[in-house]
Amino acid sequence: MNNSDLSNTISTPTWIWYPGDFEIVLANKMQNRRTERGTFFPVFWKIDSHYVLMDFHKVFDVPDEETVDIYVEGEYNVKLDGKAFEGSPKQIVVPAGKHKINIKVFNQANVSAIYVKGKTIVSDASWLVTFEDKEWIDETGKASDISATKWVNAGSSNFNSPEQLPSQYMLPTREQSPVSTTKGNNSMLVDFGKETFGFVKLHELKGKGKLSVYYGESEEEALSTEHCETLDRVDVNNTEKKDEIMKLSKAYRFVNVQYDEGVILDSVSMLYEYADVKERGSFTCNDEEINRIYDVSKYTFELNTREFFIDGIKRDRWIWSGDAYQSYLMNYYLYFDNETVKRTTYALRGKDPVTGHINTIMDYTFYWFLGIYDYYLYTGDKKFIAQNYDCMKTLMDYVLARRNKDGLMEWMTGDWIFIDWAEGLSKKGEVSFEQLLLARSLETMALCANIADDKDAEAQYNSLAADMRYKLFSIYWNDTKQALVHSRVDGQQTENVTRYANMFSIFFDYFNEEQKQQVKASVLLNDDIQKITTPYMRFYELEALCALGEQNYVLEEMKDYWGGMLKLGATSFWEEYNPAKQGAEHYAMYGRKFGKSLCHAWGASPLYLLGKYYLGVKPTAPGYEKYVVEPNLGGLEWMQGKVPTPQGEIELKVTNTTVEVKAPAGMGLLRLKSSILPEGRDIVPLSKGNGLYEMAIQPGVAYIIQYKAD
């Protein structure tokens, strides 16, 4: 019997299901709400669904007879010690003693889910669940051995009351009014003051005729009835005034409502739709422009944190693995909301069999593995790793089967090698960036195999990872260029050097110190290397520079790049920003006048950079059991903030002469560059040379350290 079959621990009852099923169904609903000018626009990758027949079970040692309430989404039966109750009972009585409860559920339309509540018998993640119950009666008339059945721990997501039906889950809303309304002849132009997301509400609508709602992230888009990306059409036939709410939530700042002569409309408001997550991280400093960049990054991330971490709120509203990976990292420095990370991870992975890369993109499959790696580092959640290990293996099996004869990743039919939106970026041959991501993904698999106690697989993945790292440098490193080249074609290095593999190798710590300095000069600070124009890859470029101690340079880059968007009136950060463009040119992308997203999750990367590389807080052991605090003002006079951890927030205030720090748990290490010996109560500074000092941080102690910044 599985150890989790038997438990005397009483927990809070919650709705449970097969892990990933709720998340996959919810993702299907959300991602297929996309429209373009009123036309349904579905995703273009494989869509999976939930398992429709489910068996839940758990063994309890019940001290006294108890009454148990049962709530189920679907048709079901209940067994106690193998004997079925008549009908589908909503309540059963369980006598004292050790008993096994089975609930079998069928639900074609929605996720098969149960909620069980008794004094000691409750539904939680310790229940076991399977979609392939192999219990049958053999030729002797006895129940066969069911050990071949694959039981896993149930999935859940804080649906903690019987009224919170998983199938009815919706994001909350709150009403908001526009900041201005301009009325015309049978029209209204409504401005909500900043980028927003939700349901447009038409007030006191009366008459008979046609009404159109044109949405715009910019005023130009809302007024462009022929080219705006999203719209709604309403047939009005009201003899009495009434309010009407649009069926789908959408992204906009401006709303242009036009209607026929026979239609009367009083006003327009909206229901703002949001995810109910709490801010735990913070950052402020003496530079008001940086504070504004941080605040707009927060709002950008808030808008793109929905049922899942999505790419952008206007156009796709899909779960893209590359976008999600960056959102995970930003989340760890703002919300530290594990549930949204897990939901997004499940939704991206889908079900076996694997028939293509995640989102059809090779690099996006690798980002999925990287997300698992970081999730464990920040949270220490071994249960999630164990629960997903089998599907990690099958996805990696798919990847390894698509290597070429030299063991490298190369484009095959059905693959999309994305990397970045960059003009003229070659995808031919064996691209170095893909090999680097595979190496890190194999390291992730070795880590997860260790957690799952799969020693043979751990050794295999470690060997494959070491081989990939060897190939990365033996095939792509060029001593003359002092960098990794972009690709190999027909067995020969290409002449092209791009930033991607080089900057990732810095913060993956794949380069030695000499190589890091060479790449900084030859690639990162070299204007002859093709520049990056998307916040997506600027995220990693600036991270690499921060990892090299270039915070002063990066601060100015943030003020120039993100500050440049603010100077153009941005109220959220964009999918792409090119300072050379003028006026409405900034709104165009993909060959469409307003194709660009003006609120894109990857635009919020200052949240991560300021938390990890300026406040300088990062875990060095899973779940912040160990961590480092290495503040770097980067040209600021002072900064302060909080970084969330599983046990609470690490609080920090830094000037050029003082550091104040307090942490709730874990063993911390404060690193400071100082021209004098740091002083303070309860600290023992250890010199590491070149003006670098290290000091231990004990949990619960408020430290005030005097030092002098270089």
Side-chain angles (χ1 to χ4, degrees), residues 120-232:
T120 65
I121 299 172
V122 298
S123 52
D124 59 22
S126 67
W127 280 59
L128 297 177
V129 59
T130 185
F131 62 90
E132 50 177 359
D133 185 356
K134 295 185 175 68
E135 183 178 3
W136 59 80
I137 303 299
D138 65 18
E139 64 274 10
T140 67
K142 297 180 180 179
S144 297
D145 179 11
I146 61 169
S147 60
T149 299
K150 179 65 176 177
W151 295 94
V152 297
N153 286 104
S156 61
S157 189
N158 295 328
F159 290 81
N160 295 332
S161 78
E163 292 78 23
Q164 281 184 287
L165 300 179
S167 64
Q168 301 303 309
Y169 176 73
M170 295 179 65
L171 294 178
T173 61
R174 60 175 179 261
E175 191 148 356
Q176 290 187 353
S177 300
V179 298
S180 69
T181 299
T182 303
K183 294 188 177 182
N185 188 20
N186 296 323
S187 69
M188 286 187 190
L189 180 64
V190 179
D191 179 9
F192 287 94
K194 61 181 179 180
E195 181 89 13
T196 190
F197 189 89
F199 302 88
V200 160
K201 185 175 183 179
L202 307 174
H203 293 268
E204 298 189 10
L205 192 60
K206 184 181 178 182
K208 185 173 183 178
K210 303 286 187 181
L211 179 147
S212 295
V213 182
Y214 302 100
Y215 299 90
E217 291 186 300
S218 61
E219 183 174 0
E220 291 91 336
E221 182 179 11
L223 292 174
S224 179
T225 60
E226 294 297 318
H227 297 287
C228 66
E229 293 282 306
T230 56
L231 54 80
D232 276 316

Side-chain angles (χ1 to χ4, degrees), residues 476-483 493 515 518:
Y476 298 99
W477 180 261
N478 187 298
D479 285 325
T480 302
K481 297 179 183 294
Q482 295 189 331
Q493 280 190 1
Q515 289 171 323
Q518 289 173 339

Side-chain angles (χ1 to χ4, degrees), residues 195 217 289-301 303-304 311-313 330 535 558-577 596-607:
E195 181 89 13
E217 291 186 300
E289 186 176 21
I290 292 295
N291 290 339
R292 175 66 175 154
I293 288 169
Y294 184 82
D295 288 342
V296 174
S297 295
K298 279 199 308 182
Y299 186 59
T300 302
F301 194 51
L303 288 168
N304 286 288
D311 63 330
I313 58 174
M330 292 182 278
M558 278 196 278
K559 289 163 68 73
D560 181 60
Y561 191 79
W562 281 267
M565 286 185 262
L566 294 181
K567 289 180 176 66
L568 291 173
T571 60
S572 57
F573 289 129
W574 304 346
E575 181 178 13
E576 182 262 0
Y577 168 59
K596 184 184 298 180
S597 163
L598 299 190
C599 180
H600 224 68
W602 67 37
S605 57
L607 298 174

